[in-house]
Amino acid sequence: MKFKERIETDPFGALMNWGELSHCSWSGVVCSHDGRVVILNLRDLSLQGTIAPELGNLTHLKSLILRNNSFSGIVPEEVTELQELEILDLCNNNFVQPFIFGRRLLQISPPGLNPGFGAAPPLPSPPPSPTEDEEVPVDFPFFLPPPTGSQPPPQNKRANPPTESQANIPNLPPVFPPPAESPPPQVSDVPHAGNNKRYHKIYIIIGVLVGVSGVMAALVIFFLLWNQKVKMIKPWGATGSSGQLREAVITGIPKLKLSELEAACEDFSNIIGSTSSDATIYKGTLSTGSEIAVLAVASGSLQDWSVDHETQFQEKIQRLSQVNHKNFLNVIGYCHEDEPFNRMLVFEYAPYGSLFEHLHDQDAEHLEWPMRLRIVMGIAYCIEHMHNLNPKPISHTNLSSSSIYLATDYAAKVSDFTFVSSTTTPVDPMTNVVSFGTILQEVITGKIPDPDSLLHDETKPVADPTLESFQEEVMEKLWEVVRECLNQKLEMKEVVVKLREITGITAEAALPSRSPAWWAELEIISTEV
């Protein structure tokens, strides 16, 4: 609770339930079986404030993760001296110390030697130097320069002053410590136990280097495979009088076999939705456990599939592959087979349902005010990104609360499941602005929107009665943005500027903390290769 008192800004209400019920049920807190706090994970929450030294009282804390917030000031000694702390991740904050990395390791430090790069800085009142058989916990790599004016630690404390018996022996020179600048003892000069410790330290360093090298090699292989994925959709030959389409090159989108998607979707038995163009949406699970959404066209045969439909299908894949935004439900594969006939798109899966369900379904989980603001900002940033794509901007074909899905941390994932349409006329970007204003109205009121009535309604907005709390001043400013969107007075980039000033939520804060698409894409590419 002392930690919570020092939090100045909590835009997502992450600590709202702190102080209620048992502390083990608080957001970000994980306890052991006996109720002791062992993990505190508050990453990616845009928290602003300073760290309370009282965190040092959590003597059983093993993991402290505050990455991607706006903490400032210094890190209290009480926190860095926690004896059981194994992971300390404070990256991407505003501390005065240059925290580079947060992995906390147990390393062997020779007695009295300055550990150098990768070691914790000397503290104002350092504890007694460890013996040669002790393990010294340090942060790696975690470098802070020593305080100005501090003296370098002694280079060797193992030399002893002359004993009484030595002093009484005539002509025997006394034994003094070697000079401070003398080099460290060679391996052959150190007792056998010290050698074992040094070998143990070397093994740890080698293990870390091997692990890092393995991860880097995996990433290099992944991106090499990804760059090689240039797929060619073969020309579709219709019946004699229909002619042929030009070849369409699709970069970076793997082509999947029908049998692979049948296995993932359990013979297409798990239907989770449909679209206005009569396409069906299935849920599937890849062999690694990554979940996917598969959009399948309703046409039953090649003869029912017109040239215009094929053109739209190919253009749809090309457009969606260009979006590449974390607030967008990205396409990660497609299926194109004539016998048996199938046209399918494979998307990453957002497990928490649609925004429409959360606003209007009594059985769905309720969205509090900070969560709604973050969702709205995620939608706005994504649509702005689509409108600013080069060389050709993209407009969403059917933007509504039903096309907004939620990731595991309730971040917005904008989907575009429209397969084919009766018209090929591009959607006007201002249509997206009007649709966004409608969604914003829906988020504020909790009611299915009626844009026509709003244009003639001069009263203040009526907030969703299910909201336990909200900022009335913020809501009134958002309501003005709704009016300007419905009256088509703003472009999407102007909408984003206004909303960012009102909510204070940056593009990074609106992104999902993690995306399942990476693992799904990796498996699809590996399988295809």
Side-chain angles (χ1 to χ4, degrees), residues 29-105:
V29 176
V30 178
C31 295
S32 60
H33 66 279
D34 56 355
R36 300 183 184 275
V37 177
V38 293
I39 296 176
L40 182 58
N41 186 349
L42 299 173
R43 62 174 296 167
D44 305 322
L45 296 174
S46 299
L47 297 174
Q48 184 174 347
T50 57
I51 295 184
E54 286 79 6
L55 282 184
N57 296 331
L58 302 178
T59 55
H60 294 268
L61 192 65
K62 296 182 180 296
S63 177
L64 176 60
I65 302 176
L66 302 177
R67 171 187 289 263
N68 295 339
N69 286 288
S70 298
F71 287 102
S72 57
I74 64 171
V75 180
E77 292 180 18
E78 292 84 350
V79 174
T80 60
E81 292 177 349
L82 284 168
Q83 295 301 308
E84 297 191 16
L85 194 62
E86 298 173 357
I87 297 177
L88 178 62
D89 192 345
L90 306 176
C91 296
N92 299 334
N93 281 280
N94 300 321
F95 296 114
V96 295
Q97 301 107 317
F99 282 87
I100 302 174
F101 189 65
R103 179 71 176 175
R104 186 173 173 88
L105 302 174

Side-chain angles (χ1 to χ4, degrees), residues 437-459:
T438 303
I439 294 174
L440 185 54
Q441 174 193 359
E442 191 173 355
V443 166
I444 293 174
T445 64
K447 298 179 180 180
I448 297 177
D450 184 3
D452 293 334
S453 65
L454 177 62
L455 292 175
H456 304 288
D457 186 5
E458 300 299 332
T459 61

